[in-house]
Amino acid sequence: MAIFTGAGVAIVTPMHSDGSVNFDKLGELIEFQIANHTDSIIITGTTGEASTLTEDEHVECIRFAVDKVAKRLPVIAGTGSNCTKTAIYLTKEAQKAGADGALVVTPYYNKATQKGLIQHFSTIARSTDLPIVLYSVQSRTGVNILPETAAALNRECDNIVAVKEASGNISQVADILQMTQGDMDVYSGNDDQIVPILSLGGKGVISVLSNICPQETHDIVAKFMDGDVEGSRDLQLKALPLVHALFCEVNPIPVKTALNLMGMEVGPLRLPMTPMEEANRQRLAQAMRDFGITVK
């Protein structure tokens, strides 16, 4: 059984003006997501600026999200690291906190071989009972999880059950699904490829767009799953200009900017992320207005 089916939000980590985590605001964002039918909360991922959280902050954010959600929907904790030992620690802490799954990104900077990826992910998987979602995003980490590697991990480890596929390569997604014959769930890691991946048998999306459009992103998946492929496709195409604006600078710069433009007051980014360039900010604001979002 899938950890979730639908649109899971890769939720931002709101900050106070001094750069500390704003847990009160994080609670508000979680409630906003649940009220607007998000299907899962993915905490401390790339969009949550996990790479600049301390280990203590990282674990505290996971605990907070699990407690706030209170089993109303699944919580998946980002627990990846380029250090296998650190990833094991974070994954164990996520299990202790009561998370429903762990999202584990490919080791960044190290650029492990495919053999190294198998050893890395299988070692983490053996350390926990949590279902593991592999996260393949070569554009950020420098290494791709090949379909053969994903399939081998799925065969070797019962709790490696899914992959967040952000390679942008639809053929690779098709190969993963063919090689695993339904034993491995696939979530789109790109908001502009939700419908194409669903058409191949994907279970949904782990979404940046959901931060600002949770209902609409949920509906893209729900309509497809209910057989309204045309309605799903129309929503996907309508969202494309906004999706492109949300990625005109590196994530999560635009999405935190968008939330602030909506009056959500999620605060600043942590260095080395910097404020959005004004021209891009104006482009984003216009795309939001065109989509029907009120910009303050």
Side-chain angles (χ1 to χ4, degrees):
M1 179 180 292
I3 303 172
F4 77 95
T5 298
V9 61
I11 201 164
V12 304
T13 300
M15 307 285 184
H16 292 290
S17 58
D18 65 359
S20 60
V21 177
N22 185 341
F23 286 100
D24 289 340
K25 183 60 65 174
L26 179 57
E28 291 178 20
L29 295 179
I30 289 171
E31 292 298 340
F32 169 71
Q33 290 293 321
I34 293 173
N36 286 278
H37 303 110
T38 282
D39 299 290
S40 179
I41 302 291
I42 294 84
I43 190 78
T44 58
T46 302
T47 311
E49 297 178 80
S51 58
T52 52
L53 296 175
T54 67
E55 287 184 14
D56 287 345
E57 288 173 326
H58 197 131
V59 172
E60 191 174 2
C61 285
I62 295 169
R63 289 174 181 157
F64 180 89
V66 170
D67 291 345
K68 185 67 176 175
V69 171
K71 297 298 181 183
R72 288 176 286 175
L73 70 172
V75 175
I76 298 174
T79 60
S81 172
N82 65 335
C83 172
T84 306
K85 185 179 291 186
T86 300
I88 288 171
Y89 166 74
L90 292 172
T91 304
K92 285 182 173 180
E93 289 298 312
Q95 181 170 340
K96 288 179 190 175
D100 298 285
L103 177 69
V104 184
V105 72
T106 45
Y108 38 88
Y109 189 76
N110 311 65
K111 297 184 73 173
T113 64
Q114 296 299 303
K115 179 180 177 181
L117 291 180
I118 289 173
Q119 292 190 17
H120 174 77
F121 286 119
S122 62
T123 301
I124 296 165
R126 286 193 293 268
S127 76
T128 183
D129 296 323
L130 284 180
I132 301 291
V133 183
L134 307 179
Y135 181 13
S136 182
V137 57
Q138 185 174 7
S139 64
R140 296 192 78 119
T141 65
V143 62
N144 181 39
I145 303 176
L146 293 176
E148 295 84 355
T149 300
L153 285 163
N154 177 245
R155 288 193 304 270
E156 183 177 329
C157 302
D158 290 342
N159 60 333
I160 294 181
V161 298
V163 57
K164 176 185 177 184
E165 239 297 335
S167 68
N169 184 341
I170 293 295
S171 295
Q172 176 163 293
V173 174
D175 284 340
I176 292 170
L177 286 160
Q178 188 276 325
M179 289 179 185
T180 58
Q181 294 295 301
D183 288 335
M184 186 169 225
D185 296 326
V186 175
Y187 298 99
S188 177
N190 296 315
D191 284 309
D192 60 353
Q193 294 184 337
I194 303 171
V195 171
I197 287 177
L198 292 176
S199 74
L200 289 167
K203 287 293 195 286
V205 61
I206 295 178
S207 171
V208 174
L209 177 65
S210 284
N211 279 279
I212 61 172
C213 300
Q215 183 68 60
E216 293 84 351
T217 315
H218 163 87
D219 288 347
I220 291 173
V221 182
K223 284 179 179 293
F224 190 98
M225 295 299 186
D226 289 342
D228 183 6
V229 176
E230 183 176 358
S232 174
R233 181 197 64 207
D234 289 348
L235 280 174
Q236 170 82 93
L237 294 176
K238 179 184 176 183
L240 281 183
L242 179 55
V243 171
H244 295 329
L246 283 170
F247 289 89
C248 68
E249 289 189 22
V250 67
N251 180 50
I253 293 173
V255 71
K256 284 192 99 171
T257 303
L259 285 163
N260 286 330
L261 286 168
M262 293 168 66
M264 303 288 272
E265 298 179 357
V266 299
L269 299 121
R270 283 189 176 176
L271 284 170
M273 298 288 109
T274 53
M276 201 169 187
E277 297 291 338
E278 184 58 28
N280 288 332
R281 185 178 180 276
Q282 292 299 326
R283 173 187 172 186
L284 174 62
Q286 188 58 55
M288 292 168 68
R289 293 187 191 98
D290 292 345
F291 197 74
I293 300 169
T294 300
V295 174
K296 297 184 178 180

